[in-house]
Structures are given as C-alpha cells and as structure tokens.
Amino acid sequence: MYRIQLHFIILLLVAFRSLGQQPIDGSADQTLYRQAEKYFHLPNSSVRTDRLALRSYEALINTLQSHGNFSDTLTDSFRKSGILQLILDNRDKAKTAFANSIDNFSRHGGKNDSLLFQPFLYLGSLYYEENKLDSARYYYLRAEKILDAFPLLPESERLYNKFGALYYETGEYRKSIPYFKRAAALLQARDRENTALLVNYQNNEATALLKSGDYRGAMAIFRRLLFYRIQRESIYLNMATAYIEMDSAREAIECLRRVPGTAPVKLNAMTRAYLSLDRPDSAAFFNQSALSYFAVHKPLLPATDEAMAFKYAGDIALSGSKQLAAAYYQQAIGAIIPGFVARDPGVNPPISRGLQSFAALFDLLAAKGRALAGADPQPATLVQALSAYETALELAAQVDRDYSSDEARFVLKQKVSDVCGRAVTLSVRLYELTGNRTFITKAFMIAENNKASVLQSGLRELELSRISGLPVALLAAEKNLKFQLAHLSLAISRNSSSLERDSLQRQWENHTLLLSAVQRKLDDIPAYHKLHYYAAAIDVDYIRRNLGNKDGILTYYYFGHQLFSFYITSEDVGVVSTPLSPPFFSAVTNLRRQLESPLTADPVTLNGITNQLYRVLIAPVFSKIHDKLHLIIIPHNQICYIPFELLNRPGDKSPLLTEFVISYNYAAGFLSNEQAAGGISPYQVLAMAPFDGSGGHTGGLPYLPGSGAEIAGLPGQQLRGAAATKQAFLDLSGHYPVIHLATHAIANDPAGTYIEFYHAPGTPDSSDRLYDQEIYTLDLSHTRLIVLSACETGNGKLVNGEGIVSLSRAFSYAGCASVITSLWKADDRATALILQRMHEYLQKGSSGDQALQKAKMDYLSNPDVPAHDKLPFYWAHLAYVGNRNPVIAAHHSTPVVLIIFSLLLIASLIALVLRHKKNRLT
C-alpha cells in the first residue's frame, strides 16, 4: 500500500494546527502560553518558529508542573509539544510527549477528554509505522471511543483511514474499503481543498480493491486520480500491479516507464513484469539494479521493498540452483522480520501476532519450501522443506484467528491449499523414506487442519458469543448487524437499478463499519479475547482413544495426482498413498449424472462406476476397517459428492450400506471437539411441510404430497401449508432439539441458495425464502439434529479445502450438532418412507447414523416397495453429517415377560387379599 511519506505527514499536521486550539484552564504562566500559541498557530511556520513554539511549551510545562497545576492546559501543552516533535522528526520524543499528555489527563482528572483524541491517534500512527500493530490498534481504539462522544472532531477522517490500513495490512481488503471511503467522504465534507489527502485516501481504496481482485474497480479509481496530478508515481505503480494481475505485463511496463527515476519499488515492478513475460535476462537486469540500490541506500528504504528484491532474485535463480534460490528467499525473510538474521535456509522465524507483512512472509516461506524440496532428495533437506511449509501454515493459522470475516478467510484459503498439499505429500514421502511414524501424524494433522477451517472458525465465534458475562447489548447488536448485512448483500445481488444498488451499497458499508466497531469492543473483553485467539490442535491420540473397538475413521486428502487415505481405529493410525488418475474424477462426474434421474440411470453402468470408486477409495484400506461396524467418512473436495453407502466391491452387488453404519464429517477437528452429551428427553420435533397441499397456494412451486405424511405423528409441533412460514421457523427453531423441514430447496440458483417456506399470495418471492447467508447468522447451538428433507440441501459450490458450501453446511455453521441432508433431487414418497422409519428408531435411542441406516435397510427390504423404486436414486441421497451421539436419552426397557409376570403377581396378591377379607366376614 502507498504510505504517506514523512514530509507529507508534516504538511498535514501543519494544516490542522488551526483546528487544535483548546480552552485554557488554571493559572498557567500567561506570557509563556501566549508566546507558545503565537508560534504554534503561525500561518507560515518554519523550522525556527516550530522550535521556538516547542521551547515555549516545554517551559510552560515545567512551570505548570512546578506549581502543581495539572490542568487541561498541561494536557494540551504536552499534546502540542508532541505534534511539534513529530514535525521536527523527533519521533521518540513525540511518543513521550503524547504519553505524558494521556498520563496527566488520567492521573489528575481532566475535564475535556477530546484533548486526548490526537495523542491517541498519533501514538497509534507512530506504532503503526513501527509495525507494532497491536499497540497501534490499542491507541486507535482509544481514539475511536472519544470519537463516539465527539463525532465531529478534526482529523476523524484520519482515524478511519488508519483503521482501513490496519484491516488492509492483515489481509481483510474488503473490510478496509468502507473505512477508506468513509475517510474520503468526511474529508470532502470538511475540507474540499485538501486534494492531496483525498487522493491518498482514494488511492488506498483502489489499492484495496486491487488486492481483493476487483481490478476493474481499482483501475477506474486510478485513472480518475491521475487528473489530480498528485502522487502520480504511486498511482502508476499501482496501475502496473493491476495490469500484471490481469496478465497484461506489457501495459504494466508502459505504466512503469512513466515513473521517473530508479526507485527500488519501480525496479521490483519491472522485474516482476519481465518475469511474467518469461524474459529472465531482462528481469535479472532490473533485479540486480534493485539489489545494488539497496546495498547503498538500505537504511533509508522500506524493508518490504528489499524483501521483494531478494524474493525475485530467488525466483530468477530457481531455473538454475534451487539451493541458491532458497538462500535468496532466506535473505528476503530476514529483510521483513526485524532481528531475524539467520542465513541458513533450514532456520525459520518465530511466528507471533501483529506481523504486518504476513502475506509476503507466507509467500516467502512457501517459495523456500518448494526450492528446498527440489534441491536435494536427501531426508535432511526434505525435513527443512517441510519445516518451511509448517511455519507458513502456522502463520496462516495465526492470521486466520485474527480475521473476523469469512470473506478474508476464504481469500487466505486459496493461498494455503497449495502449501498444505505440498506439505502433506512431503510428510508421506518422508515416512516412506525413513519409516518414522511421526510423519504420518504430521501429514494427517496438516491435511485435516486445511479442511473446513472457515467452518471451524465460524463455530468458534458462535462459542465466543455464549461466554457468560458478555454485554447483552453488544451481542444483540452484533447478531442484528450480521443479519442486516446478509439481507443487504442479497438485496444488492438481486437489484437491477444502479441507483438503488448504490444506495444499498452505502448502507452495507455503514453496517460493516458498525459491525467492526462492535466486534472491536467485544475483543476488548479478556475472556472473549482469550478464546478468540486460542486454537486447540487436532489430537490424533485423543480421537483414537475415544473410538470404540467397532469404530473406524477414513479421511481422504489428495494433491496433484496422489490420493492419501488415512485410517484411524482404536488399534492403529496409518495412511495409504495411491495414484489418482483423471478417470477417477470422470467416474465421480458420471456417478452424479447416473443419480440425477431414475429414468436415465443404467444399472450396469452405475455398478461399474461404484466398483471403480470402491477400488480407489475402499479397497486399499479395507483390511484396516473390515471388522468395524461404524464408519466415519471425512471426504475432500470432489470426494464430497460421493455417497459411500452406495459403493460396492467388484463381484458383490451388496452396497457398503449393508456392511457399515456410515456418517460423514467436515474435518477431524470436529471429532476432537465432539462432546459426548447425553440425549434429550422427551423427543420433540419442529416439523414443517409448507407444500403438502393443505395451504392451497405454492407460489408456482409443485406440491409435495408425501411431505404431510412424512411429518405426521411426530411429537412436538407440526406446521403445514400456510402455517409453515419463514417467520414461524425463525421464531420457533431455537426451542426444539430436532427440526424437520420437508420442503423445496434450491442450490446454485442465480437468486442464491435457499430453503422455501409457505409463499403468501401477493408477497415478494424473497419473503418466504431462507437464504444460506441468513442461516449463517442464526444460533442453532441447542439443536441436536436438523433433517433437511428437501432437494439438494447438500449440494452447492465446491470450495477447495472447505468442501461443498451448501445449505447443510450453513446449518452446521449455525451450531447444529448434526444434519441429515439430501445430495440430489429425490423422490418425495421414498424419502417420506425412509424418514418416518428413521424417526421411530431415533425415539428408541438409536444414534442418528444408525437410525438412518436401519431406515434405509427397511426400505430396501419392504415388499410393498416396487423393485424399480429400490434403485439408488430413491434411497442413497440422504446423508448423515456430524455428531453421532444418540439424539434421545436411552431408556432401559423392561422385558415383556417380566412385565406379564409382575402383573400376574399383583393380580394374585389382590385375589389373596380379597379372599382373606371374605373369610373374615364369614
């Protein structure tokens, strides 16, 4: 990001002096005060007058302190001396003066805390320039609290710009944009003539758009800013970056030629442009020029620019000596981490919070790992490569915990997946080379940490909201703002009017700013902060110890053309590596096509596909799990589309459904944290069937005649037809441990992904739809099971490493312990028969996965179901995801024989008593 240079900061401070005068209290030396104020507020100040002003304020401070006059005048004098020290480039003295201003105010009960806004703001900026982001954030938050009480304070726009910069530096580019926009809007409302600062704020906004991938939006702003003829060098540099990202390196070079001089940032950009054009000789020329420049001017230049020069040197060296490339990457790491001087590529820096250049550091560690992995096949060098990858992943995990938006986490996810795949591959390779089983554990943990990490972060935030003692008003505000943001996002995507979209976009930006402020206040609470930044590691031994002797786990991960099948049982943990060829992915696609409709399915073709998938996914590990009853499947990427119950070994038409009770989960981390909670009692269900035919109006959607029978007789509350509204669901969902939705659902529609409820005549289509973005904002942490008996609730967009981002995943994100979901559009009647039986087994105390398996087996063995309706299309779509604990508390039933014997005994006793009474009467 373009940063304001020191001389520009000084200009801004001078420009704002006239706004900084404060009322004077107490009995200060009036002569000294008037003299200091005169020099401070000169319209044409100079270094000499600034020093005279500073000398007068320092004399005034000494006089006030000697007289014991600790008033607002003293606070203000410290503040202004700090500003003068900053202008005179005495940064340490400026920090001391600002700190004294704050200390004097707090220790002696100041009356006007608006005096502290600038000390907090400037201290934050000074720490920001030193890369001490935690300290910067602390002082910015203090300044923000003052701004809440005095919203029209001068320089408030600079605080918004600084908050934007903080979000930018931690990779939350989209989140930074509203702050830069707000800064520009405040400046325009207050000081239209200050075009220099306006260009800076809008340049920051465009740079954030560039980083978030909105190249067109960024270029539109850059081109507009060129007309101001201010900061043109910076703007051309940013435009060059945009062109390179858009694979237009020649246009980038044209922009760079408009930048005068040989500044290293220009030389680095030229190096990158020629690398992208695959012209290593030209790239090497500019790279050597940059390195030579740093050798002479290093102390005066940004460390990140030097790091990029070494990074590009490594990229150029890769085609020759990979060991040399690794050495260059190591030098680049040392350039961006103060105090890290190790030149040995086998040594990695410690990871801590507040690393400002985390994105560059991640890329450098990843590049070093690749170079080392290709430099030498010996285990010692491969271990160094793995260590570099692990350090990069540790950094990513730390940054992930610092993020507060899923959008930023998904952006990071794309960078992490490649490193994760290389690390897993290298770990398994080291295990095969050395026989050291520690590498199996490493491979497993790396793979599983990369699965559904965004979902796990969301659930951690839901857990945060349940900490006792948190301010109820803040939690309510956070929940409401998230819900409003979801609605605004949907409205923006559906609105065709550019004018209305602009208005909605402004509302979205305002709500984003409000949400950020609320979340910062929550993060100031120690208990919240501690849990927010705590991440429990996946404990393989814990998972293994807590498995029954009839339980097994199969978790899959693939990278490139290699599949890694991990197995965990109570006896063993291991991995099998097998080649993964393109026909495997074709088989997955063909399987989905065969299951879309029973009319087009060919049993012979389907059997061949399930045999093929069995040979790849089950056969290599079957000997490890053949004696198990319960099987937990943790898939990866395209494997998420496969219903494992359907697979069968060649020569045997019986599917795995008959051999195993199968459930699914998103990642092993969910097993590590799974609580063995007791079942609920009584069994109460919120059951909804809006399209059973009783409502008379479906909004054009087809009736689901089997849905009424599907929920009939379930204990709890049953809502059909017009009673099954979206609002009813929102009002009642938190009061029932089990929810059953027998309705329509749409995945990957242009209007979004959503569940349909009753559609009242004359209302907008969206009023009856529960969108996935809205589900993410719900709190369903007390829901033990949700049954989504609707088409395609398990279908959605596949996100690398996260799995299928579907409606079922949204309910898991909202805290629901387990979900039964539908993988494709299935038959209404068959689904009803299976789920009715499943509820019966659940009420008898069966676990959710076992209840679903028994219900499917009953369906397949039911003589009243035609043979054609027993094709996989009719039963294999239902999948159980999540916690396998029984939903209802187990009841120890009394044997029937014992009940009959007890009744006969009671009857005999009553007869004896009556006979005894009769004998006494006679």
Side-chain angles (χ1 to χ4, degrees):
M1 174 185 288
Y2 176 77
R3 293 211 181 152
I4 305 173
Q5 299 300 316
L6 178 61
H7 68 276
F8 191 55
I9 294 176
I10 293 171
L11 283 173
L12 295 176
L13 290 173
V14 172
F16 281 118
R17 285 188 191 185
S18 61
L19 302 171
Q21 190 169 0
Q22 299 294 334
I24 300 301
D25 301 329
S27 56
D29 187 311
Q30 294 299 314
T31 302
L32 276 176
Y33 177 74
R34 284 194 296 268
Q35 183 175 311
E37 288 288 286
K38 180 184 74 172
Y39 288 125
F40 186 82
H41 293 289
L42 281 175
N44 298 308
S45 59
S46 63
V47 173
R48 187 183 71 83
T49 59
D50 285 340
R51 286 176 176 163
L52 288 172
L54 178 60
R55 196 177 306 155
S56 299
Y57 279 123
E58 288 177 341
L60 177 60
I61 288 168
N62 290 332
T63 300
L64 291 172
Q65 288 180 323
S66 65
H67 294 163
N69 186 352
F70 303 106
S71 61
D72 282 356
T73 302
L74 182 57
T75 299
D76 190 49
S77 298
F78 275 125
R79 176 179 71 92
K80 289 172 178 170
S81 64
I83 292 172
L84 290 165
Q85 295 283 17
L86 192 56
I87 292 172
L88 295 169
D89 201 20
N90 299 322
R91 292 178 170 245
D92 288 338
K93 290 182 178 180
K95 285 165 67 174
T96 301
F98 290 136
N100 285 336
S101 179
I102 295 166
D103 182 64
N104 178 73
F105 185 91
S106 59
R107 288 176 61 187
H108 302 288
K111 299 174 183 176
N112 182 9
D113 60 359
S114 66
L115 290 173
L116 298 185
F117 177 73
Q118 284 183 322
F120 286 138
L121 176 61
Y122 293 158
L123 274 172
S125 299
L126 287 165
Y127 282 113
Y128 175 83
E129 292 297 323
E130 294 174 4
N131 288 350
K132 297 177 180 177
L133 297 192
D134 282 347
S135 297
R137 184 177 180 274
Y138 169 79
Y139 285 111
Y140 288 150
L141 286 172
R142 299 286 297 273
E144 184 184 44
K145 288 181 180 178
I146 295 174
L147 201 59
D148 288 342
F150 303 93
L152 299 178
L153 282 176
E155 299 191 81
S156 56
E157 64 275 4
R158 291 189 63 197
L159 180 62
Y160 281 105
N161 183 60
K162 287 300 184 182
F163 268 130
L166 274 178
Y167 284 122
Y168 178 98
E169 295 290 0
T170 51
E172 298 197 77
Y173 306 120
R174 285 284 176 191
K175 203 167 185 178
S176 71
I177 292 167
Y179 284 90
F180 293 138
K181 280 189 172 182
R182 175 64 64 87
L186 286 171
L187 180 66
Q188 285 178 306
R190 177 178 292 145
D191 186 5
R192 286 185 171 273
E193 302 302 317
N194 199 336
T195 54
L197 197 55
L198 178 64
V199 168
N200 179 67
Y201 294 163
Q202 293 186 339
N203 192 14
N204 287 347
E205 178 192 348
T207 309
L209 287 168
L210 171 64
K211 283 289 189 179
S212 65
D214 187 355
Y215 306 126
R216 294 185 183 278
M219 289 295 282
I221 297 176
F222 289 143
R223 290 193 179 102
R224 187 172 71 245
L225 293 179
L226 286 174
F227 289 104
Y228 287 101
R229 298 187 174 275
I230 298 173
Q231 300 183 31
R232 299 192 82 183
E233 293 85 356
S234 168
I235 294 166
Y236 277 124
L237 286 168
N238 284 331
M239 290 177 68
T241 301
Y243 278 126
I244 292 172
E245 295 291 351
M246 293 188 290
D247 295 324
S248 301
R250 297 187 188 282
E251 288 84 350
I253 291 170
E254 287 303 313
C255 284
L256 292 170
R257 285 174 177 162
R258 294 172 180 264
V259 178
T262 56
V265 64
K266 173 187 174 178
L267 296 172
N268 281 343
M270 291 292 272
T271 304
R272 185 184 175 196
Y274 280 111
L275 277 172
S276 66
L277 288 174
D278 196 23
R279 292 176 57 180
D281 291 342
S282 298
F285 170 79
F286 286 103
N287 181 243
Q288 285 301 316
S289 298
L291 291 174
S292 299
Y293 196 103
F294 278 109
V296 177
H297 303 96
K298 178 176 179 177
L300 304 175
L301 298 170
T304 49
D305 290 345
E306 182 184 18
M308 292 313 297
F310 282 122
K311 196 267 184 189
Y312 293 140
D315 293 345
I316 295 167
L318 269 177
S319 59
S321 169
K322 291 181 171 56
Q323 197 70 48
L324 176 61
Y328 275 126
Y329 295 140
Q330 186 75 0
Q331 283 184 275
I333 292 169
I336 61 174
I337 298 185
F340 182 71
V341 295
R343 289 298 183 94
D344 181 358
V347 179
N348 296 301
I351 301 302
S352 60
R353 287 193 60 213
L355 281 170
Q356 190 169 16
S357 302
F358 81 87
L361 178 58
F362 181 91
D363 290 341
L364 288 168
L365 288 165
K368 186 175 75 165
R370 290 193 297 272
L372 288 169
D376 184 355
Q378 296 303 311
T381 307
L382 297 181
V383 167
Q384 290 183 343
L386 178 59
S387 177
Y389 287 143
E390 287 181 301
T391 305
L393 294 171
E394 181 188 350
L395 171 64
Q398 180 63 62
V399 174
D400 179 71
R401 289 191 291 274
D402 288 353
Y403 283 161
S404 57
S405 73
D406 284 345
E407 182 177 20
R409 294 182 183 128
F410 276 124
V411 169
L412 181 68
K413 191 79 175 184
Q414 305 311 311
K415 295 173 71 72
V416 167
S417 293
D418 180 74
V419 173
C420 179
R422 293 177 185 277
V424 172
T425 303
L426 196 53
S427 296
V428 175
R429 184 179 169 191
L430 280 163
Y431 164 65
E432 293 169 349
L433 285 172
T434 67
N436 187 340
R437 293 181 64 82
T438 301
F439 291 114
I440 295 179
T441 302
K442 279 183 179 288
F444 174 81
M445 291 180 65
I446 293 168
E448 292 305 306
N449 276 322
N450 191 48
K451 290 181 183 176
S453 61
V454 174
L455 177 57
Q456 293 187 70
S457 297
L459 291 172
R460 185 170 68 243
E461 289 184 3
L462 188 61
E463 185 180 355
L464 289 170
S465 69
R466 297 198 296 272
I467 298 174
S468 61
L470 290 182
V472 175
L474 278 181
L475 292 175
E478 182 187 39
K479 183 176 181 180
N480 179 59
L481 285 166
K482 285 183 175 181
F483 199 77
Q484 292 299 320
L485 281 168
H487 273 276
L488 287 167
S489 296
L490 292 167
I492 291 168
S493 65
R494 292 195 302 264
N495 206 298
S496 59
S497 165
S498 60
L499 192 62
E500 291 180 8
R501 271 203 314 271
D502 289 343
S503 174
L504 290 168
Q505 182 67 31
R506 285 193 294 273
Q507 291 181 54
W508 183 90
E509 290 166 1
N510 288 334
H511 279 71
T512 299
L513 296 177
L514 291 171
L515 178 61
S516 298
V518 168
Q519 289 175 332
R520 287 196 296 269
K521 290 175 182 176
L522 282 169
D523 203 37
D524 279 344
I525 301 169
Y528 186 97
H529 183 87
K530 181 179 179 181
L531 185 58
H532 191 178
Y533 295 108
Y534 168 78
I538 296 173
D539 190 336
V540 181
D541 291 334
Y542 173 86
I543 294 172
R544 185 178 60 79
R545 287 195 306 269
N546 283 273
L547 286 175
N549 57 10
K550 289 296 181 181
D551 295 338
I553 299 171
L554 290 181
T555 176
Y556 297 92
Y557 186 86
Y558 62 82
F559 181 72
H561 301 294
Q562 205 69 18
L563 172 69
F564 305 102
S565 304
F566 295 92
Y567 57 87
I568 304 178
T569 65
S570 58
E571 302 87 10
D572 195 14
V573 176
V575 62
V576 176
S577 175
T578 53
L580 199 59
S581 59
F584 171 82
F585 299 104
S586 299
V588 175
T589 302
N590 292 334
L591 175 66
R592 298 289 295 176
R593 190 176 297 120
Q594 286 288 318
L595 294 172
E596 285 177 354
S597 170
L599 300 176
T600 57
D602 175 31
V604 176
T605 302
L606 182 60
N607 188 63
I609 294 171
T610 55
N611 288 171
Q612 179 184 353
L613 294 176
Y614 180 95
R615 284 193 294 268
V616 176
L617 297 171
I618 301 298
V621 291
F622 185 77
S623 62
K624 305 297 182 181
I625 48 95
H626 70 93
D627 59 340
K628 306 306 174 188
L629 173 62
H630 294 271
L631 197 58
I632 302 171
I633 304 292
I634 303 175
H636 179 236
N637 287 357
Q638 275 86 347
I639 299 174
C640 295
Y641 289 118
I642 300 172
F644 276 68
E645 296 93 326
L646 187 57
L647 305 186
N648 60 294
R649 64 171 65 92
D652 185 354
K653 292 186 177 180
S654 298
L656 287 183
L657 174 75
T658 63
E659 294 187 59
F660 299 102
V661 178
I662 294 178
S663 66
Y664 300 86
N665 221 313
Y666 301 102
F670 291 89
L671 304 177
S672 297
N673 300 322
E674 189 172 280
Q675 298 296 317
I680 53 92
S681 184
Y683 189 79
Q684 293 287 299
V685 184
L686 171 63
M688 305 181 76
F691 302 103
D692 70 331
S694 64
H697 181 78
T698 66
L701 294 168
Y703 287 110
L704 298 173
S707 62
E710 186 176 314
I711 67 171
L714 290 178
Q717 187 163 356
Q718 299 167 29
L719 300 177
R720 296 183 174 86
T725 64
K726 173 182 174 179
Q727 192 58 50
F729 172 81
L730 294 175
D731 292 341
L732 298 171
S733 57
H735 303 288
Y736 289 87
V738 180
I739 298 172
H740 187 127
L741 302 179
T743 182
H744 291 289
I746 303 297
N748 300 325
D749 185 78
T753 297
Y754 52 87
I755 292 176
E756 291 274 9
F757 289 91
Y758 176 75
H759 187 100
T763 58
D765 287 344
S766 59
S767 63
D768 61 288
R769 296 171 178 173
L770 182 66
Y771 289 88
D772 54 350
Q773 295 181 51
E774 296 175 290
I775 298 169
Y776 280 107
T777 69
L778 302 178
D779 183 354
L780 296 176
S781 52
H782 298 295
T783 304
R784 300 298 300 276
L785 171 66
I786 185 161
V787 181
L788 300 176
S789 175
C791 299
E792 299 185 298
T793 50
N795 198 4
K797 179 182 178 182
L798 183 68
V799 174
N800 189 18
E802 280 299 306
I804 301 171
V805 182
S806 61
L807 285 165
S808 57
R809 185 184 185 280
F811 279 105
S812 295
Y813 189 103
C816 188
S818 50
V819 181
I820 291 177
T821 185
S822 179
L823 300 177
W824 60 82
K825 295 179 180 179
D827 181 72
D828 179 36
R829 179 176 175 276
T831 302
L833 288 173
I834 293 172
L835 292 178
Q836 281 176 316
R837 291 291 290 164
M838 182 203 69
H839 279 291
E840 293 175 16
Y841 285 120
L842 285 174
Q843 291 179 76
K844 293 176 182 178
S846 291
S847 61
D849 54 349
Q850 192 166 46
L852 184 58
Q853 184 219 27
K854 288 178 179 178
K856 288 180 177 179
M857 296 279 285
D858 288 351
Y859 176 82
L860 291 174
S861 62
N862 188 340
D864 296 329
V865 176
H868 178 270
D869 289 0
K870 294 179 181 178
L871 292 172
F873 166 83
Y874 291 92
W875 61 267
H877 62 295
L878 294 170
Y880 186 93
V881 183
N883 192 311
R884 300 179 302 123
N885 295 318
V887 176
I888 191 169
H891 295 286
H892 300 289
S893 56
T894 306
V896 175
V897 174
L898 183 59
I899 294 173
I900 295 173
F901 176 79
S902 300
L903 292 173
L904 290 174
L905 180 61
I906 292 170
S908 300
L909 289 173
I910 292 173
L912 287 173
V913 171
L914 292 174
R915 187 179 300 118
H916 179 67
K917 287 184 177 180
K918 184 178 179 182
N919 290 337
R920 288 183 63 189
L921 290 171
T922 56

